[in-house]
Amino acid sequence: MQTNEREFRQAQQFLTERDHFLVVSHVQPDGDAVSSTLAVGWLLSCLGKNYVMVNEGPIPKRMEYLWKSDKIVDLSKTLHAESYKHVICVDCADFKRTGKSSLLFSEDAEILNIDHHPTNDGYGSYNLIVPDAAATVEILFDLIRFMNLEMNQNVATAIYTGLLTDTGGFRYSSTSPKVMAIASKLLEYGVDGPGLSELLLEQVTLPQLKLLTRALNGLQISEDGKISWVSVNDDDMKITGAIHEDLEGIVNYPRNIQGVEVGLLFKVINENAVKVSMRSAGKVDVASVAQTFGGGGHVRAAGARIEGSLETIVSSVIEQVKQRL
Ligand code: AMP
Ligand code: MN
Ligand code: MN
């Protein structure tokens, strides 16, 4: 079945032979992170296991329709002091992506690392890493099948959500024939495909649109027209009333300009830290750019949190991109 059958078998054993799990994903979770957390939760429920799902912060509001999304503990709001020996990390390219959730790992914790980032450094005690997968939920779809569990509409909706968001609506090059076959199968379970596209890809909130307008007002482009970038600071967030999830998608605007090879979004976190989102038209491997700054991701979509002032970070990231053009 799978070429990496051994990893799937190990993951299965990890889940069936243990109990009392902690399921975590990356900070500022996207659709794949939330959906993967919930799909693992669903899988553990099927096995009759005890588990807790946590994230460092809140899950995006527009994903509250997902089954048991309200059960993901938001560590920024809830004190959760227990520690766990059996941990499942999903969609986290490296250990520090788990953020403050890692404070709940016991010192002797065993980690099952399930992910699709090519930059994943294999930090788990067990690693189920499939870089060809379009999303972590694709791996979970395979794992659920591998374990002969019968899916239902709830878990199908989560998996579809992760696929839809990580492939940009089944448009990115990661949209393989297999992804489409899985999506087709999920629709048969009653997933509302058009409804999810409308909610997750089409609808915008007014603050989100205002934030986009402000960001685009400051759009910059390199002399050769191959790199374009925007930046967002705290004032932009406050004045527009935008929240973190409203940043999603802004980076595609500079990247979509004809002739641009790399689009960048610089989000000022504080005086001395900036989150950079990188998108490539295909020529430049932005994962390698992100890695030089301690981040990671995929060839065409990557990110990093970088220490320093906005000005210095903008020029050093652009310098790194230029070297690869
Ligand atoms: P984003 O720009 O946040 O949408 O992220 C694009 C891709 O890069 C996603 O696959 C992220 O999981 C990954 N990524 C973003 N930030 C980091 C980081 N600091 N370290 C590793 N991977 C990241
Ligand atoms: Mn993710
Ligand atoms: Mn992902």
Side-chain angles (χ1 to χ4, degrees):
M1 178 209 171
Q2 299 288 336
T3 50
N4 37 13
E5 190 168 336
R6 200 175 72 91
E7 282 79 11
F8 275 85
R9 201 164 298 288
Q10 275 187 343
Q12 176 175 20
Q13 278 172 359
F14 186 88
L15 300 168
T16 52
E17 292 172 3
R18 292 162 182 76
D19 203 350
H20 301 284
F21 295 94
L22 176 68
V23 189
V24 309
S25 186
H26 59 78
V27 298
Q28 286 154 353
D30 51 28
D32 190 28
V34 175
S35 299
S36 295
T37 303
L38 296 171
V40 171
W42 177 87
L43 198 159
L44 292 170
S45 295
C46 287
L47 300 176
K49 303 288 183 178
N50 291 300
Y51 64 94
V52 176
M53 302 177 286
V54 305
N55 198 276
E56 178 183 295
I59 70 154
K61 279 198 181 57
R62 64 176 81 210
M63 287 167 199
E64 282 170 359
Y65 64 89
L66 287 166
W67 179 79
K68 287 211 173 166
S69 64
D70 58 327
K71 297 286 185 296
I72 300 179
V73 178
D74 172 357
L75 292 181
S76 68
K77 290 203 194 87
T78 319
L79 192 66
H80 197 93
E82 218 174 310
S83 91
Y84 295 82
K85 186 169 158 48
H86 305 137
V87 180
I88 303 150
C89 297
V90 286
D91 205 40
C92 295
D94 55 61
F95 185 85
K96 69 177 196 299
R97 288 283 282 162
T98 59
K100 292 189 176 127
S101 300
S102 65
L103 298 173
L104 306 185
F105 303 1
S106 70
E107 243 170 62
D108 58 347
E110 291 181 293
I111 296 176
L112 171 61
N113 166 14
I114 306 177
D115 187 36
H116 70 124
H117 292 95
T119 57
N120 194 297
D121 58 11
Y123 57 88
S125 328
Y126 304 95
N127 299 288
L128 176 55
I129 300 160
V130 186
D132 289 339
T136 300
V137 287
E138 181 181 332
I139 308 169
L140 293 171
F141 178 92
D142 287 344
L143 183 61
I144 289 166
R145 286 222 157 162
F146 185 84
M147 295 175 71
N148 286 316
L149 299 169
E150 184 56 44
M151 273 179 244
N152 64 17
Q153 191 180 349
N154 290 331
V155 71
T157 299
I159 294 172
Y160 193 96
T161 296
L163 285 180
L164 186 73
T165 51
D166 260 24
T167 61
F170 304 112
R171 289 177 305 156
Y172 301 155
S173 57
S174 53
T175 312
S176 61
K178 185 181 166 211
V179 166
M180 297 309 256
I182 293 174
S184 161
K185 195 83 211 144
L186 296 172
L187 292 173
E188 285 172 16
Y189 282 103
V191 173
D192 176 11
L196 293 178
S197 295
E198 167 68 19
L199 178 68
L200 299 167
L201 306 173
E202 303 288 344
Q203 276 182 17
V204 289
T205 63
L206 190 56
Q208 187 180 6
L209 201 60
K210 285 181 175 170
L211 181 68
L212 174 65
T213 310
R214 270 182 84 86
L216 293 182
N217 257 325
L219 182 130
Q220 309 215 40
I221 188 154
S222 60
E223 251 170 53
D224 62 4
K226 291 189 174 162
I227 311 170
S228 177
W229 63 98
V230 293
S231 61
V232 170
N233 62 26
D234 232 24
D235 276 351
D236 298 320
M237 301 300 284
K238 282 203 188 99
I239 290 166
T240 58
I243 52 176
H244 182 83
E245 63 188 83
D246 296 331
L247 292 162
E248 192 75 41
I250 291 182
V251 66
N252 292 324
Y253 286 85
R255 155 44 196 110
N256 286 346
I257 300 169
Q258 277 188 354
V260 165
E261 285 295 336
V262 174
L264 303 162
L265 165 68
F266 297 90
K267 167 69 179 48
V268 178
I269 299 172
N270 58 45
E271 272 170 22
N272 211 35
V274 174
K275 158 81 207 259
V276 190
S277 288
M278 312 176 188
R279 298 293 184 270
S280 167
K283 201 182 268 178
V284 175
D285 175 1
V286 286
S288 86
V289 178
Q291 274 186 306
T292 63
F293 296 99
H298 310 275
V299 172
R300 287 169 179 256
R305 191 196 145 107
I306 312 176
E307 306 284 315
S309 69
L310 179 64
E311 213 171 74
T312 52
I313 290 168
V314 169
S315 61
S316 51
V317 170
I318 286 169
E319 183 50 41
Q320 284 293 327
V321 173
K322 277 190 176 151
Q323 281 180 22
R324 290 167 174 79
L325 274 167

